[in-house]
């Protein structure tokens, strides 16, 4: 058994080895102070946990505080509070950024920037009226029951809602709201009030990097699912995939379009041998999406639209100005 002196020596040796292999980035000065990150084996600068705002509970965010000395942006920060099954984790002090830059980037150099927001939605409690999408949270209890009855009738008919017997119906319910109606409604609002082009895509490719689908497919549920696109854009740490030629082609096509968007504001500024088509932006009244698959294609969502039911609910119970109800294709408040 090691004594205290030997334990200390082992610790110091490990610390020396770690320090010898860690490569720090050049020191960067931002509005709040000086900071540095680490440089990984892929020659990429990584800055973790940079505060971009502070906020007290249920209060508007405020600018971050300035710090003295050198901020060591070298450790990943905890996620915001969340619940997964029976586990609660995260911290309210989570308004922080991870920033990645190429090694060759110099101070003051302007580079294309990709800001990535992970999608999601908010649900709570355990009965259908209480598990409504949070956008209906302002409704009266009477209206919540009306909305819940409409949802129950549309997806489940008269059958009892049971996770074992209604797997397909539950998947359709959550998919239609999270992946179809919410994205479409939000995108149309952005297209209406922004002077920048908005591009939507649907990821349908089934390959060796569809990590989330592997779990669902084991339960006999086919197709792509939430987050399957992530590993075709970002290199996962600690996971090795057996990419075939089609997987590699998909990675090249997908990352090329995203990189084009970062550089030019257009994912397909010109047609090419790699991507022989243009990706059209959406409008406030019409949504076209790039179907990321092999082969790729542009889809007019009204022809394959599954979120129309929820959009009608938004138009009936939503707050005016916060839902794209001018899209008379699905609903119209003036009728």
């Amino acid at each position: 058994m090691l004594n205290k002196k030997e334990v200390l020596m082992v610790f110091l040796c490990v610390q020396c080895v770690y320090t010898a292999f860690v490569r720090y980035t050049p020191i960067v000065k931002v509005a709040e102070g000086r900071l540095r990150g680490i440089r990984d084996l892929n020659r990429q600068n990584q800055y973790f946990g940079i505060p971009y705002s502070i906020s007290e509970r249920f209060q508007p965010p405020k600018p971050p505080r300035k710090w003295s000395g050198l901020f060591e942006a070298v450790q990943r920060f905890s996620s915001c509070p969340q619940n997964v099954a029976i586990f609660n984790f995260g911290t309210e002090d989570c308004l922080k950024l991870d920033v990645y830059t190429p090694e060759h980037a110099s101070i003051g150099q302007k580079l294309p920037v990709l800001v990535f927001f992970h999608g999601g939605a908010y649900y709570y409690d355990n009965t259908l009226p209480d598990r409504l999408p949070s956008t209906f949270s302002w409704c009266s209890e009477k209206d919540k029951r009306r909305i819940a009855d409409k949802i129950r009738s549309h997806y489940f008919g008269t059958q009892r809602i049971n996770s074992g017997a209604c797997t397909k119906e539950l998947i359709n319910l959550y998919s239609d709201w999270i992946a179809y109606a919410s994205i479409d409604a939000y995108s149309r609002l952005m297209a209406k009030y922004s002077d920048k082009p908005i591009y939507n895509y649907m990821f349908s490719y089934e390959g060796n990097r569809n990590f989330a689908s592997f779990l669902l497919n084991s339960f006999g549920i086919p197709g792509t699912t939430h987050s399957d696109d992530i590993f075709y854009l970002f290199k996962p740490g600690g996971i090795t995939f057996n990419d075939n030629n089609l997987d590699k082609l998909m990675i090249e096509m997908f990352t090329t379009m995203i990189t084009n968007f970062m550089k030019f504001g257009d994912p397909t500024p010109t047609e090419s041998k790699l991507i022989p088509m243009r990706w059209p932006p959406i409008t406030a009244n019409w949504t076209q999406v790039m179907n990321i698959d092999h082969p790729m294609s542009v889809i007019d969502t009204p022809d394959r639209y599954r979120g129309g039911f929820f959009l009608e609910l938004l138009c009936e119970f939503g707050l005016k100005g916060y839902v794209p109800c001018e899209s008379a294709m699905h609903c119209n408040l003036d009728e």
Side-chain angles (χ1 to χ4, degrees):
M1 184 174 180
L2 297 177
N3 58 39
K4 291 182 179 180
K5 183 179 293 186
E6 290 172 327
V7 170
L8 178 60
M9 291 180 63
V10 170
F11 173 78
L12 292 175
C13 287
V14 171
Q15 183 68 24
C16 289
V17 170
Y18 174 79
T19 304
F21 281 95
V22 169
R23 299 176 61 203
Y24 291 101
T25 66
I27 294 176
V28 179
K29 186 176 181 180
V30 296
E32 290 72 35
R34 300 183 307 137
L35 62 87
R36 70 175 177 179
I38 56 176
R39 184 166 291 167
D40 69 3
L41 297 178
N42 295 317
R43 305 174 69 85
Q44 183 183 65
N45 295 332
Q46 302 177 335
Y47 306 87
F48 299 126
I50 304 174
Y52 68 86
S53 183
I54 56 174
S55 178
E56 298 177 2
R57 186 178 295 182
F58 307 125
Q59 297 299 315
K62 301 176 182 178
R65 300 183 182 93
K66 294 185 177 182
W67 59 77
S68 59
L70 183 64
F71 182 87
E72 298 285 1
V74 298
Q75 291 185 334
R76 293 184 179 275
F77 63 94
S78 179
S79 61
C80 292
Q82 53 192 291
N83 170 268
V84 177
I86 61 173
F87 301 101
N88 298 311
F89 58 91
T91 173
E92 293 185 41
D93 182 22
C94 62
L95 302 183
K96 300 177 182 180
L97 287 175
D98 288 344
V99 179
Y100 303 83
T101 67
E103 184 183 42
H104 61 74
S106 58
I107 303 298
Q109 180 183 3
K110 293 186 177 181
L111 297 171
V113 177
L114 172 66
V115 180
F116 181 75
F117 293 99
H118 182 271
Y122 300 95
Y123 294 90
Y124 46 90
D125 289 339
N126 55 10
T127 61
L128 188 54
D130 292 327
R131 292 184 68 86
L132 295 176
S134 58
T135 191
F136 297 119
S137 60
W138 61 75
C139 294
S140 65
E141 292 302 316
K142 180 179 179 180
D143 281 342
K144 285 182 180 180
R145 287 192 292 272
R146 289 177 58 198
I147 297 170
D149 289 342
K150 288 176 178 286
I151 293 175
R152 179 189 294 273
S153 175
H154 182 80
Y155 288 98
F156 305 99
T158 58
Q159 65 178 316
R160 181 181 179 184
I161 301 177
N162 180 286
S163 59
C166 304
T167 301
K168 182 178 180 180
E169 290 81 1
L170 287 169
I171 289 176
N172 287 338
L173 165 61
Y174 283 94
S175 297
D176 288 358
W177 171 249
I178 298 175
Y180 287 90
S182 294
I183 292 175
D184 189 50
Y186 182 61
S187 300
R188 290 174 187 241
L189 285 172
M190 291 181 66
K192 178 181 178 181
Y193 294 108
S194 173
D195 59 352
K196 304 297 182 182
I198 308 298
Y199 299 91
N200 281 358
Y201 70 84
M202 179 168 65
F203 192 83
S204 303
Y205 177 72
E206 297 183 49
N208 291 317
R209 291 191 171 220
N210 294 50
F211 186 75
S213 286
F214 295 154
L215 302 177
L216 291 178
N217 292 160
S218 64
F219 293 97
I221 304 173
T224 56
T225 188
H226 176 63
S227 77
D228 270 348
D229 56 333
I230 298 300
F231 290 150
Y232 293 87
L233 283 178
F234 303 107
K235 184 177 180 180
I239 302 177
T240 301
F241 293 105
N242 184 25
D243 296 330
N244 58 35
N245 290 334
L246 201 55
D247 295 334
K248 295 176 182 178
L249 176 62
M250 186 58 54
I251 292 170
E252 184 178 2
M253 296 171 70
F254 201 8
T255 54
T256 295
M257 289 189 291
I258 298 301
T259 303
N260 283 341
F261 177 73
M262 294 165 60
K263 292 180 177 179
F264 311 114
D266 186 337
T268 52
T270 59
E271 294 185 10
S272 65
K273 183 177 180 180
L274 179 64
I275 308 169
M277 64 183 65
R278 298 295 301 275
W279 182 342
I282 72 166
T283 69
N285 297 315
W286 189 265
T287 302
Q288 290 183 303
V289 301
M290 178 66 84
N291 185 32
I292 309 295
D293 201 353
H294 185 75
M296 290 195 181
S297 60
V298 175
I299 295 177
D300 293 332
T301 51
D303 295 336
R304 295 178 56 181
Y305 191 69
R306 288 178 44 183
F309 167 74
F310 271 111
L311 191 56
E312 291 174 0
L313 288 181
L314 285 173
C315 290
E316 182 177 356
F317 297 97
L319 293 177
K320 186 176 182 180
Y322 290 85
V323 291
C325 294
E326 291 78 6
S327 55
M329 193 177 306
H330 302 297
C331 58
N332 194 324
L333 289 181
D334 297 330
E335 292 182 354

